[in-house]
Amino acid sequence: MNDNKLIWSVKAKMMFVHPLLLALIVTFVAGILAACSNSSVVKTASKSAQQTKETAMVTQESGSIYLYGEAHGEAKIIDKEFELWSEYYHNEGMRHLFVELPYFTAEYLNLWMQSDNVDILDEIYDDWEGTASHNPYTKAFYKKIKSECPETIFHGTDIGHQYNTTGSRFLSYLVANDLTGTEEYTLTIEAIQQGRFYYSKDDNVYRENKMTENFIREFGKLGSESVMGIYGSAHTGLDEMDYTQSIPCMANQLQEHYGDNIYSEDLRWIAKNIKPSRVDYITLQGKEYLASYFGKQDLNGFKDYAGLCDQLHQDRWFSGKRILSV
């Protein structure tokens, strides 16, 4: 009888312990499975992050950008720009020249580079009438590039200036040649739309941002190629703001994007490093000053140009006259 009681007691204890033991075992196994699962997730996430990083490194442009800021239409600066491009072209093997022109204008120039006449260049030049680019020095610059650097490829990254003349003409060319399904057609439409928006709103912040976006898009096509760019100096200061002083200028934004891969130089000093054509005396507020005359600057196409007094105090230059003692 005592043995039966002992057996029953043991069975009862086992019935009590068994569920508890089972629960502990289940918990332990679940913990192991969770740990394995978490480890797998961590490894997968790590691998995914590594792949993303490697992809970014592969797609990142490795070429360099050399920007030169100009005062538009200045003969001495234009000569220097050709000298620089010729050196990059012949000594460094560069072929891609970025310019402050709309996408469609640059593409039209690329067509002209393959032609045996000057018809396209003449049409583009006529469309520039009323702007700082409508001068014989600019036209001669492009002719010289075609003659001495014939494999040059132009990239226009500005918004669509002359969208209703050059833009419309280039669009007609694409349609006539059954090229409506091409990237050229899409980007021409986009540049025209950018031009229309800019001129309807007179929005310089919009323009600066679009110039940056368009530059990044064009540079991104080139992989490891290095490029030279020619722009107004208002767009090329690596630490400068835009016209409105509200956002970083194009080069400043590009430096944020590309880091040390970008170099910029302001060439405006070249235009000032000249001998005056004559020296006069002028009177301001009853006081006489010696002034050197260097010629006239066509200000068509420029907006918000500083008035006489502001400009004199800013840098002692105005309409070609340099005040020697103010």
Side-chain angles (χ1 to χ4, degrees):
M1 186 69 178
N2 289 337
D3 291 339
N4 291 334
K5 288 183 178 180
L6 180 60
I7 293 171
W8 181 89
S9 176
V10 171
K11 286 183 177 181
K13 289 180 180 179
M14 288 183 66
M15 290 175 63
F16 175 76
V17 173
H18 180 70
L20 180 60
L21 182 60
L22 181 61
L24 289 173
I25 292 172
V26 170
T27 303
F28 179 73
V29 171
I32 292 175
L33 292 174
C36 292
S37 176
N38 289 338
S39 177
S40 177
V41 170
V42 170
K43 288 180 180 179
T44 302
S46 177
K47 184 177 180 181
S48 177
Q50 184 178 3
Q51 288 175 341
T52 302
K53 184 177 181 181
E54 288 174 354
T55 302
M57 291 176 65
V58 170
T59 58
Q60 173 124 17
E61 300 83 355
S62 56
S64 297
I65 299 168
Y66 299 89
L67 295 179
Y68 293 93
E70 68 172 14
H72 298 310
E74 292 286 347
K76 285 182 174 289
I77 295 177
I78 292 172
D79 288 343
K80 180 62 176 179
E81 287 166 346
F82 176 79
E83 178 186 323
L84 287 165
W85 176 240
S86 182
E87 182 177 343
Y88 284 129
Y89 182 95
H90 293 290
N91 298 336
E92 303 296 331
M94 284 192 199
R95 291 297 181 266
H96 300 276
L97 181 58
F98 282 53
V99 285
E100 191 178 337
L101 294 173
Y103 171 83
F104 48 73
T105 304
E107 290 302 307
Y108 223 174
L109 285 172
N110 290 332
L111 279 179
W112 165 69
M113 291 287 286
Q114 306 303 317
S115 70
D116 58 1
N117 56 61
V118 295
D119 293 350
I120 293 177
L121 181 62
D122 286 344
E123 289 176 344
I124 293 173
Y125 183 73
D126 290 343
D127 293 342
W128 285 340
E129 186 173 0
T131 73
S133 296
H134 192 257
N135 65 76
Y137 313 117
T138 302
K139 193 172 187 179
F141 169 79
Y142 287 105
K143 285 184 175 180
K144 203 170 181 181
I145 285 181
K146 183 173 182 177
S147 173
E148 300 185 29
C149 308
E151 295 179 15
T152 297
I153 300 170
F154 295 103
H155 295 262
T157 60
D158 204 347
I159 52 95
H161 305 295
Q162 298 86 42
Y163 62 84
N164 58 344
T165 52
T166 309
S168 178
R169 194 180 306 113
F170 187 67
L171 198 62
S172 297
Y173 161 82
L174 293 175
V175 172
N177 288 272
D178 196 25
L179 296 171
T180 56
T182 63
E183 181 186 49
E184 288 85 349
Y185 185 84
T186 300
L187 293 180
T188 295
I189 293 292
E190 183 179 316
I192 289 173
Q193 291 172 342
Q194 289 176 2
R196 285 175 176 162
F197 182 89
Y198 169 73
Y199 283 103
S200 67
K201 304 293 184 180
D202 193 23
D203 190 340
N204 282 306
V205 170
Y206 170 84
R207 181 192 175 202
E208 202 74 24
N209 284 332
K210 286 302 177 184
M211 288 178 71
T212 305
E213 290 175 17
N214 295 340
F215 192 108
I216 291 172
R217 180 198 68 220
E218 290 298 301
F219 189 59
K221 299 176 183 178
L222 305 180
S224 61
E225 297 281 348
S226 293
V227 306
M228 173 177 155
I230 300 172
Y231 295 84
S233 57
H235 308 291
T236 59
L238 296 180
D239 301 311
E240 301 298 327
M241 303 295 283
D242 76 320
Y243 282 119
T244 67
Q245 296 298 302
S246 57
I247 62 167
C249 73
M250 180 191 75
N252 195 338
Q253 293 185 51
L254 291 176
Q255 181 176 232
E256 181 70 20
H257 189 81
Y258 295 114
D260 294 336
N261 275 16
I262 186 168
Y263 164 87
S264 180
E265 181 179 349
D266 191 341
L267 299 179
R268 287 178 299 172
W269 65 270
I270 296 174
K272 298 179 181 181
N273 190 28
I274 57 177
K275 294 181 179 180
S277 58
R278 73 172 189 267
V279 178
D280 297 328
Y281 285 91
I282 63 172
T283 301
L284 294 173
Q285 297 181 345
K287 189 175 180 180
E288 193 175 62
Y289 299 93
L290 186 65
S292 298
Y293 183 79
F294 296 87
K296 297 180 180 180
Q297 169 67 53
D298 182 4
L299 298 181
N300 286 321
F302 291 88
K303 297 183 179 181
D304 302 323
Y305 203 82
L308 173 59
C309 293
D310 289 340
Q311 190 67 16
L312 288 175
H313 287 290
Q314 283 176 15
D315 61 5
R316 303 183 180 185
W317 281 80
F318 182 78
S319 296
K321 290 184 180 180
R322 184 180 184 186
I323 313 303
L324 299 183
S325 55
V326 173

